[in-house]
Amino acid sequence: MVVTARNFVGSYYDPDRLPTIEYPEKRQKLPENSRSFPMLIFDGEDPEAGLRCVACKICEKECPPQCIYIVAERDSRGRAVRHPKIFDLDISVCMACQICVEVCPFDSIKMDTAFEMAGRDRFGAMLLHKSELAKSDAYFHSIHPSEAVGSDARVEHIKKPAGRSQAAPAEATRKAA
Amino acid sequence: MAPLHQYLLLSALLFGIGLAGVLTRRNGLITLMGIELMLNAANLNFIAFWRHSPNPEAIEGVLLTMFAIGVAAAEVAVGLALVIAIYRRYRSVNLDEVDQLKG
Amino acid sequence: MNALDQLFVSLKQWLVGLFPTSLQLGVSVFVSAAAIVGVYAGLFAITTWLERKGLARLQNRMGPNRVGPFGLLQPMADGIKALIKEDIIPQRADRLVHTLAPIVAVVPAILALAVIPVGQNMVAVDLAAGMVFFFAMGGVKEIGVFMAGWGSRNTYSLLGSMRGIAQMISYEMPLVLSALVVVMAVGSLSLVDIVNAQAGYHAGILARWNVFTPWGLGGFLLFMVAATAESNRTPFDLPEGESEIIAGHMLEYSGFKYALFFLGEYMGLFAVSGLAITLFLGGWHAPFSFLAWIPSWMWFFGKLVCFIALFIWLRGTLPRLRADQLMEFAYKFMVPMVLVNLVAVALWHFTAGWTFLGGGLLRWVLCAALLFLPFLGLARLVSKRPHRIQRVYRFAE
Amino acid sequence: MSKVTPFPGQAESGGGADQAPGGMQYEVSRRPGVTDEDEVLEVAVGPHHPSTHGVFRMDVKLDGERIVSLKPVLGYLHRNHEKLGEQTSYLGMMPYTDRLDYFCSLTNNWAYAIAVEKLAGLQVPERAEYIRIITGELTRLFNHACLVGFLLHDMGTMGTPLMYAFREREKVLDLFESLTGARMMCNYQRFGGCRNDLPDGWLDEVSKLVAEFPRWLDEMEQLLTGNEILIARTEGVGVLSPELAVSAGVTGPSLRASGVNYDLRKVDRYGIYDRFQFRVPLGEKGDVFDRYMVRVLEMRESVGILQQAIRDLPGGPVIDPRARQRNFMPPVGEAYGRIEAPKGELGFYLISDGSRRPSRFRVRAPSFVNLTILEDLCLGHTLADAVAILGAVDIVLGEVDR
Amino acid sequence: MGFVFPLIATLTVLGAVGAMSFRKSIHAALSLVVALLGIAVTYLGLGAEFIALVQVLVYVGAVAILVVFVMQLTRSEGGQGEGMAVRPAALGVGTAGLVCGGLISCVVLLPDFRTPWPEKADVGLARLGEALTGDYVVALEGIGLLLTVAIIGAVLIALKRPNKEETPE
């Protein structure tokens, strides 16, 4: 009985005894590593052109619940261009396990921290398209600073200064983190 | 307050209903309730006549009713215990089936 | 300060005065009834808020703070929710018994409140046998519990109602007998006389309450335990043991009937705490003479809120007793202790003449000893702790 | 055989053997002298019940308040975990192990990682081993704390000890979120080590928490162990004899509460547990009170282990650089990796045919095995005890139904 | 306030008839409770306030619950619906009618029941108490003894003896 009394009285002055955070008004500061749903990274200003993703479909194959759907772009003569025409991610299926981030050799998909993804429609709103997934590299730096530094080093290593070369990018040298 | 004979009419009616229940119903519990009703009818008579008695200090009627209620409660307790024992032995409460004298 | 003290009494007289004399009796009855239902329903709303906030604070939570400032409109929100919720009657349930049960559970609890003196000559009905009326109403409440349990034809509610009735019956006896102690000391069954007997102050300071006498203290504690059991509060909240039989006899009720059951439970709680205050804590008397200027009804409702806080504190802390332990505790501990208490008050009565120097103290100690020794013996019989719990825990490397 | 009536009070369906869902028929053990027509009340403590720790049904036959027969019915949360294992790559299965015992995801990851490391013969660097022990023991701490909370909630306290336990659990979950990214679904271990290194400042957060924990434990013991009603409700209830425990394969704190000295951390010495000094508390009678006390004492031991681990945590790599994660193809063979999870012995049995996917993925869940003896514990007790016993057996349905 | 008595009287009679004629015995028990409450209110009408309270306390509080409890124990609340067995019903109701008719006739015919109510002092509880413990103390102790004996007897009769004589299967 004494213990509950101590907690009752304590809840008025001791912050440890009243850890409640009133969510919408006050928000808990998320730690740096925290993850919610994936996002695609693009360099520079234009989300369409600067998209890092090369539609290699490794993440589509490796994703345990199979929630990623990629269709590569075709140029006039029907040859695949290293750019996804469609990149859909169904966040009602995705379990935020970060496997896609680990297996992606081009550091083009990272974990976002925005978790308020509620939508009114169970199917349409939950299927995020390429345009909604794309986030700028600067934003990536702002939410995961230490991880961003590491990934920048790798990205510089992949992209030769003059456009992307056709040589197999650092497949041999890179291991998934 | 209604005249005395109406109270007596009420208790007579209750007594009649109780007696009818006891005689007709086969369920042991309903018979007990019938006896309960008859006892209450009698108590009602006592109180009616106590109130009607000319002697202002007389309280014998009230005392008798209290003892009657006490006895009735004891009687119900034992009656229900008997019903339970019968149920456990015969698996039913109908008094018609309780016809063997063997233990 | 008499004006403030008699505020409500004069208010009522003024109200009754407005009507022609032929109607006055009916109007005064109506005003008293409206006052009781209004005050206690308001107290019911405050108690639900207090309970939610208190339990939350006990558990390091905030408790309701969204509906109105500090969540004060939460009872209102609960009431509206109860009204809006669909009222489902199980298809196989016995309609009549099912719908009548909440009424039979609530009405006696409210009637019992009519007898309790709330302030100086502020009692709705001054019956010569007020105490017997109170316990008669307590008896009728059990029928409501049974009707609810049996009416909804559901195994859980059947179990719940059987447990509820068994608990209420076996704790009614200690409740009545521990209240009887005060009747023996005061010599009248009317609650107003009991409160008047506790007027006056020892040596001008301490109030002459029954709780300061040995049999009063013992009676008070026993009464409180039996009251917690009678009003189904933790640690005796077996009939609606959430974790075992979900909501016991109240299982098949939704919407307003469910709220009615809770109204009944809380009214029962107020009634029993009100009686405890009247019998042992001097009703509307102030504890100390220098505090007597505060109006009388404030003392009564202040003590009532303290009792509610105590019940909430109990509810937040103690686990629940099992059904057979409950019965064993009632018959092996409560009933013998209450009988001993009767003997103690008799001893107190016959030693009233000891006015020599150490007399009062010796008398107090004698009665206290007469109560305490059986307590130790019975506690050992019922409790499990002292001799059987030395568990040795080996530690392997 | 007794008649089966799914809904109480419904007309008695015709005679029929006791049908378990899978059509399995088994003899229902029953107290002598109670025939069926007696007042046997059938209650389905159904899947939707506040104290069954998830979707789990107990068909209980009551004689008055005493339990005559109790038949657990499982399968409500079956998600086809093991078949899924045969279709997903080794790395892809790691996030699914979080969903087994969703209360202690990091120990599940650890057990799966050990099984795969045994299969492929990978070496785990020192620092990764220490991090694994720290996260494992933290999980054990808040699992036992929350168990005590749930047990008391089943016995009637309006959730007060549960809220205190959750307050401590929140601190640990915040630590996991800063380390692994998610509070409950961590997916942090990899084959040959851990996914990322400790963020800075994480370690002294842990040491601050470990320093405060004993104070919280003393407060809980003061609230509970001396509590008269708790003792009355748990003493002598659901006694598990050591012989029955061993023969039924019960593991974990319930086994140790019956006095059997079997703790995988001491038996297998997996990871680097042999470097730590800690003791294994053993109970005396094996009733619900002993299970409660053994868990409280185990919490104190875990605090000791954590202090030692924090003190001598080495530097170095967190993952074996040579380990491949993506197209991980272990050699043909089989392996069984097991650890002392907070609920008992959690084991993963893998058969590899050299391809990217295991050909057999089997999980030995402690809750499922501990559940088999529920009826033997509950016979003769009342319904309220059955709820308390179920609380003390500490099951999580994600693990039981897989 | 003259209308009170006829209303209460009809309520009581209806309750009593219900108690005797409902097929489901639980309904019978509940209507018995109505009848008992009706009788308690008639006591109040007659000025015997203490008796009314005792009646509610003893009958409605304890006896009715006991009856209902036993109905549960003996599983007879379902009510096999035997209702009024036809043949003996005529006999039973006939004799009851005769007895009741005799009572009513003597009530209606005898003139001295019509005299007005005399003034009655309110029966003070204290006087009741003194009478009980004064010259009726023997009866008080007798009723106490009777109740204890009845309780012990009831418990022994209803005790569930599991082993001694097994019920013949």
Side-chain angles (χ1 to χ4, degrees), chain D residues 30-279:
Chain D
R30 167 195 299 282
R31 206 156 50 88
V34 176
T35 55
D36 203 36
E37 307 81 28
D38 265 359
E39 313 87 12
V40 171
L41 192 67
E42 274 167 31
V43 178
V45 182
H48 184 62
H49 189 276
S51 63
T52 48
H53 299 272
V55 269
F56 164 74
R57 188 174 107 216
M58 294 190 285
D59 281 352
V60 184
K61 288 202 172 71
L62 293 173
D63 162 24
E65 277 267 347
R66 297 264 160 246
I67 292 178
V68 167
S69 95
L70 180 139
K71 182 157 62 65
V73 177
L74 312 170
Y76 289 97
L77 199 57
H78 178 58
R79 295 156 299 183
N80 206 347
H81 190 89
E82 292 173 0
K83 188 63 184 171
L84 212 59
E86 286 156 18
Q87 296 155 3
T88 329
S89 66
Y90 284 92
L91 178 64
M93 270 319 284
M94 185 57 90
Y96 284 119
T97 55
D98 295 335
R99 271 79 180 170
L100 273 174
D101 174 357
Y102 42 75
F103 231 69
C104 350
S105 64
L106 275 163
T107 40
N108 301 345
N109 295 353
W110 189 2
Y112 179 53
I114 282 184
V116 173
E117 276 145 20
K118 243 184 218 170
L119 194 63
L122 298 172
Q123 289 307 322
V124 181
E126 282 293 305
R127 188 173 172 84
E129 284 293 357
Y130 272 91
I131 293 177
R132 281 182 174 180
I133 285 193
I134 292 176
T135 47
E137 290 307 323
L138 276 177
T139 321
R140 196 188 310 280
L141 271 191
F142 80 70
N143 177 279
H144 287 337
C146 290
L147 168 91
V148 166
F150 281 122
L151 182 64
L152 265 301
H153 184 70
D154 289 350
M155 277 196 267
T157 53
M158 289 300 289
T160 316
L162 187 60
M163 283 301 157
Y164 298 157
F166 270 20
R167 185 186 71 201
E168 294 309 310
R169 178 168 176 260
E170 280 311 313
K171 292 183 195 144
V172 178
L173 291 186
D174 290 346
L175 286 176
F176 284 172
E177 181 162 24
S178 55
L179 174 66
T180 68
R183 290 158 48 88
M184 283 172 69
M185 300 296 150
C186 302
N187 182 14
Y188 175 61
Q189 317 276 0
R190 285 297 174 267
F191 317 131
C194 301
R195 177 155 47 83
N196 57 356
D197 204 338
L198 305 182
D200 42 23
W202 191 79
L203 210 55
D204 39 22
E205 278 291 321
V206 172
S207 44
K208 191 157 66 70
L209 179 116
V210 164
E212 270 166 28
F213 202 80
R215 202 160 46 79
W216 176 81
L217 258 178
D218 303 340
E219 200 180 284
M220 277 300 258
E221 288 217 62
Q222 186 195 351
L223 173 68
L224 298 176
T225 314
N227 189 327
E228 183 71 30
I229 298 175
L230 171 76
I231 291 171
R233 275 297 295 277
T234 53
E235 208 265 327
V237 168
V239 178
L240 174 62
S241 64
E243 301 74 25
L244 174 65
V246 169
S247 60
V250 171
T251 55
S254 307
L255 180 68
R256 288 190 287 277
S258 306
V260 177
N261 175 10
Y262 181 76
D263 183 337
L264 281 180
R265 294 177 292 182
K266 292 282 183 184
V267 169
D268 271 8
R269 294 193 186 291
Y270 60 91
I272 43 167
Y273 266 109
D274 43 16
R275 295 192 200 149
F276 293 94
Q277 278 75 35
F278 63 95
R279 305 175 306 174

Side-chain angles (χ1 to χ4, degrees), chain B:
Chain B
M1 284 211 298
L4 174 67
H5 69 274
Q6 284 186 356
Y7 284 99
L8 302 185
L9 266 178
L10 172 64
S11 71
L13 258 175
L14 285 181
F15 187 85
I17 295 167
L19 190 61
V22 166
L23 296 179
T24 50
R25 288 299 287 267
R26 290 182 306 188
N27 184 335
L29 291 167
I30 307 284
T31 4
L32 267 176
M33 282 157 53
I35 297 165
E36 214 39 54
L37 263 181
M38 286 148 68
L39 269 165
N40 270 317
N43 284 348
L44 189 60
N45 259 354
F46 281 128
I47 295 291
F49 278 114
W50 160 73
R51 186 64 181 78
H52 192 65
S53 72
N55 165 6
E57 282 83 25
I59 46 168
E60 280 72 16
V62 176
L63 289 181
L64 188 70
T65 323
M66 274 167 49
F67 289 142
I69 290 180
V71 169
E75 177 263 335
V76 165
V78 176
L80 288 174
L82 282 175
V83 166
I84 293 177
I86 290 170
Y87 174 78
R88 187 152 296 123
R89 178 70 179 69
Y90 290 94
R91 195 61 66 231
S92 99
V93 185
N94 284 349
L95 299 184
D96 292 356
E97 291 159 13
V98 182
D99 46 19
Q100 298 153 1
L101 276 185
K102 201 157 61 55

